[in-house]
Amino acid sequence: MTTRPVPVAHRTTDVDGIPVFYREAGPADAPVLLLPHGYPCSSFQFRGLMPELGDRWRLVAPDYPGFGRSGTPPRERFAYTFDAYAEFLVRFTEVLGLTRYAIWLHDYGSQFGLRLAMHAPERVAALIVQNGDIYPAEHGPKYASLKEYWTNPTPEGRERIADAVDEEGFRGEFIGEIPDHLVARVSPDLWTLAWAQVAGTPGRRENLVNLLADQGTTMDWFGRQQAYLREHRPPTLIVWGPRDGYMPEAAGRAYLRDLPDAEFHVLSDAGHWAMETHLAEIVDLTRDFLGRVHPK
């Protein structure tokens, strides 16, 4: 059945005194698909997906504190660590009264989303994994410099991390690894908007450097996240862009060790930001999957 795109609403709510911007599409009483975003983006990354699914699901995509159009509180009020963002996502669902949801797991959002799932497993209807990794043995070569810092956190190492937090570094995140014939499909607004929102707000760049430096703490969670998957076996769809220097195809296939019944699809020539280049395929796979496991 052919569907027409639905409108996306742009809202702001208060989460523990922080103004939080979020996008929402679909009926208020429809099954929820929660969309935590990745680095260095915002809810903007889901701008194409949301109108295509909002006829049957309620899609909710927040901007984290210090990202997008949300507030940037001082560090004494928000720590800008993986722990802080994981707790934020829990609180966001509580503020909006979300009690049952499928969760999209992409990039940093996979860490926050899995922590939410572990916090309340009974609320998880399904998972959709799109280039969000929890298997360090399958990490790609782009992790090398970060891992060097995690094992030996020197001022020089932190400065190297900081050097990548600029507009050119953001551009490389979005188009640095995909084939030339796909680059034209990726909107330059992704990196220009993300960088404008960072550079235009005092403290944001240093907060992002702090978050990148803190990423090593996620390694301690991987085993627990794998155990959660084995124990609870949530219905899972995996859609993977193999042109990813952080998370190659093997990082996606590794989920099948703990979720042997998961549906796994490789999107030919796609990279880390596969939704920019393969949106129609992702929409079709998602509609079919959610229609079976999280129906209206």
Side-chain angles (χ1 to χ4, degrees), residues 97-291:
L98 307 180
T99 58
R100 181 75 171 165
Y101 33 72
I103 310 173
W104 199 278
L105 304 177
H106 173 252
D107 193 82
Y108 281 7
S110 63
Q111 281 300 306
F112 313 142
L114 278 171
R115 298 267 290 270
L116 173 67
M118 295 166 68
H119 172 78
E122 72 281 0
R123 296 183 175 184
V124 179
L127 301 176
I128 301 173
V129 187
Q130 182 225 325
N131 293 69
D133 61 327
I134 60 170
Y135 297 91
E138 308 302 339
H139 280 169
K142 286 186 73 173
Y143 268 117
S145 59
L146 284 170
K147 288 186 173 182
E148 181 181 349
Y149 176 79
W150 300 341
T151 57
N152 183 29
T154 64
E156 294 79 14
R158 187 180 177 92
E159 188 59 34
R160 285 193 292 272
I161 291 174
D163 287 342
V165 184
D166 61 12
E167 185 172 350
E168 188 60 26
F170 288 3
R171 180 179 182 274
E173 293 289 336
F174 290 113
I175 63 171
E177 297 164 311
I178 58 175
D180 289 345
H181 72 275
L182 291 179
V183 170
R185 298 187 189 180
V186 183
S187 172
D189 296 329
L190 281 164
W191 59 86
T192 57
L193 175 61
W195 177 244
Q197 290 173 331
V198 171
T201 305
R204 278 197 172 187
R205 182 174 183 272
E206 184 60 24
N207 293 337
L208 290 185
V209 174
N210 192 66
L211 185 60
L212 286 164
D214 185 61
Q215 189 177 348
T217 63
T218 64
M219 302 283 282
D220 294 335
W221 281 88
F222 289 164
R224 283 176 277 180
Q225 290 162 347
Q226 294 162 19
Y228 158 79
L229 297 177
R230 289 193 300 272
E231 178 181 355
H232 294 279
R233 297 289 183 92
T236 301
L237 169 68
I238 304 169
V239 287
W240 210 267
R243 297 290 191 103
D244 188 338
Y246 291 109
M247 309 170 195
E249 183 178 330
R253 290 194 180 277
Y255 278 92
L256 300 176
R257 303 170 192 169
D258 298 311
L259 292 171
D261 297 326
E263 302 175 30
F264 183 80
H265 301 269
V266 176
L267 305 170
S268 178
D269 278 345
H272 188 75
W273 298 88
M275 206 177 295
E276 295 299 316
T277 57
H278 292 67
L279 178 62
E281 292 175 59
I282 291 174
V283 166
D284 287 347
L285 291 168
T286 303
R287 290 185 69 87
D288 175 69
F289 173 70
L290 291 180

